[in-house]
Every structure is written in structure tokens, then in C-alpha cells.
Amino acid sequence: MSPRFGAVEENIDCAIATIGNKTSDLWVLPELFATGYQFKSREEVRSFAEAIPDGPTTTRLIGAARSLDAFICAGLPELDRGNVYNAAVLVGPDGLVARYRKIHLFFHEKEMFSPGDLPFSVADIGLAKVGMMICFDHFFPEAARTLTLAGAQVIAHPANLVMPLYAQLTMRTRALENGVFTATANRVGEEARTGAALHFTGESQIVSPSGEILVSLSPTEEKAEAVEIDPRDALNKALNPLNDRLGDRRPEFYQALC
Ligand code: ACM
């Protein structure tokens, strides 16, 4: 989608209308899907930030999840105890399932948000185990690997990417090296509220555990698309009878990572 900055209600309506009568068990919407991205100040982003799960955006997402009989992952600014986080929620027909606060903040986000302070987590939605990461987290292989080690079969990845192709490439690798499905929902359009205009790169994609691109959307159009997967494909980490993506790890040699 291409949210209109600040038009929260309208952008939520647009997300629901874009899904329309398509069906899926899990929908992934972009990062900051209802507010837009290019905030002018910390005060401005704070004025849009909401409590989770009681704020209006999460409440409406839960309503939509109920009507669609689906789970929805979406990005929004969260206000909690005076801090504002670039967050994502996973909601279902029964309410909030999980929240994530972006751990790796990108560029001016560092001036707008507090860095995420919760561990990467994986939620069992019955059909699959789902982990969340947000946009620039794709640059850090540790994010997807941590979610994989926690049991994720599907990584939901709301995004507002501005660097052409980077995440479309890295997320293929994240899917392949971890043997998981990834679903990147990346917004389209432009925002020019401060200084340089931002051009969002779209090309939302769903990737299989073997790195195959199952869905690739346009760089400019708003669209929702789903693909049928078998999440059990993400349980088998073997590459051949003698190599296993997780079993062959040698953490004793990775100490520099911690
Ligand atoms: C980004 O993390 N929104 C590039």
C-alpha cells in the first residue's frame, strides 16, 4: 500500500479494502502502515503513537482479523511508558497474539524512536509458528537466525524500504540459510515531508525455505496477494543426508557474535 501521511483511519480502510474478498490465513501489512513514515520530529511521531493492544489501530486490526477470520501482522508506532517504538503486532480473531519492537533502527528513525527492548519472539498461531522482524532488521542475519532458532516457520516482515533491491536479495538469503518462509510487505509511493524525498521500493515478496520467490509484487502498485504454503516445509533443515542448516552450526566458533 501507499499510505497517505497522517491519515490513519483512511489508511486502515485502504488496507482492508486492498485485501477485499481475498482469503488467507495470515496477512502481512507494511511497517507504519497506517501513519506513514517520514516524521518531522519525535513530538510528531509521539502524537501518532498508540498503546498496544488498546489503541485504535490494533483495535481495528483485531476487528479486521475477526471479519477475515485471519491473522494480521502490521507495523505501527507504539507508546509505552513514555517511550515510542517502531513496532509490529500480530493479531488474530481472539485479539493480540504478539508484539515486536524494531531492534535495528534505520537512519533518522534513531532520532524518532526508542530502540526495541524486547527479545525476538515466535508465536504459534496453530497453523504455523510465526516470528516478526521489521524492515532494516533484514540487514542483520542474526535477526532471522534468532527467530529460526526460536522455532519460526514463517517470518512476517513489514517494511518501508528505500534502498532498491537490498531486502529483496537479503530476504531470499535469510529464507534459504534458515529454511523458513519469509513474507516481506513493503510499501510503495513517496513521501517528501522533510529534506530529501523518500521513494519506497515496493516489490513485496514471499520466499520459500529453498529461496524460491513465490510471490513478487510491483514496485509501484498497491496490491494484496497470498500463496498457499505448507509450513511443515520449514521444519526440515536438511540440505542433503549429511548437512543440516541448524544441526551443522558450530556456535563454539561464533563467540565474536556475542
Ligand atoms: C527501514 O528500515 N525502514 C529502511
Side-chain angles (χ1 to χ4, degrees):
M1 51 187 295
S2 177
R4 189 162 72 80
F5 186 90
V8 173
E9 282 287 307
E10 176 188 316
N11 293 328
I12 298 172
D13 289 343
C14 170
I16 294 169
T18 303
I19 291 172
N21 57 11
K22 298 190 181 78
T23 58
S24 179
D25 297 309
L26 172 65
W27 291 106
V28 185
L29 305 180
E31 178 181 14
L32 298 168
F33 84 102
T35 56
Y37 182 78
Q38 203 180 33
F39 297 99
K40 287 185 174 163
S41 65
R42 249 182 135 81
E43 291 65 43
E44 187 178 56
V45 67
R46 180 174 296 271
S47 73
F48 285 102
E50 300 180 15
I52 294 174
D54 295 328
T57 299
T58 308
T59 302
R60 281 208 63 197
L61 286 170
I62 292 168
R66 221 164 265 153
S67 344
L68 294 164
D69 192 22
F71 290 84
I72 303 175
C73 168
L76 74 161
E78 179 192 10
L79 180 63
D80 183 43
R81 285 170 289 183
N83 292 320
V84 178
Y85 302 96
N86 184 344
V89 288
L90 176 62
V91 302
D94 294 332
L96 181 72
V97 176
R99 93 182 67 199
Y100 168 65
R101 295 171 172 164
K102 188 174 185 178
I103 287 179
H104 304 102
L105 296 174
F106 179 71
F107 202 28
H108 292 300
E109 289 173 31
K110 293 190 172 191
E111 293 149 16
M112 304 291 157
F113 295 100
S114 295
D117 57 355
L118 299 173
F120 288 105
S121 70
V122 172
D124 190 346
I125 62 169
L127 303 154
K129 292 185 178 163
V130 178
M132 290 183 278
M133 53 191 240
I134 300 178
C135 205
F136 189 50
D137 286 329
H138 76 91
F139 235 101
F140 301 85
E142 295 87 348
R145 176 53 53 95
T146 302
L147 289 170
T148 303
L149 291 172
Q153 293 162 283
V154 176
I155 294 179
H157 181 219
N160 272 194
L161 293 156
V162 289
M163 293 186 289
L165 270 183
Y166 285 14
Q168 288 80 3
L169 286 176
T170 58
M171 290 307 285
R172 268 188 100 175
T173 305
R174 300 290 94 86
L176 176 62
E177 68 197 358
N178 290 297
V180 295
F181 292 93
T182 64
T184 298
N186 185 31
R187 66 161 288 181
V188 296
E190 277 197 6
E191 280 182 23
R193 303 189 67 248
T194 66
L198 291 177
H199 171 74
F200 300 96
T201 61
E203 296 191 67
S204 293
Q205 68 181 20
I206 302 174
V207 184
S208 79
S210 55
E212 185 191 355
I213 297 179
L214 302 175
V215 168
S216 174
L217 299 187
S218 142
T220 53
E221 275 170 52
E222 298 186 301
K223 192 168 179 190
E225 200 163 313
V227 67
E228 185 151 352
I229 61 163
D230 186 344
R232 287 172 300 186
D233 293 348
L235 297 176
N236 178 10
K237 305 299 185 190
L239 295 171
N240 61 48
L242 298 182
N243 289 112
D244 183 275
R245 279 170 276 208
L246 294 189
D248 282 357
R249 295 173 66 248
R250 306 285 307 278
E252 66 272 33
F253 292 103
Y254 306 156
Q255 282 151 16
L257 288 179
C258 300

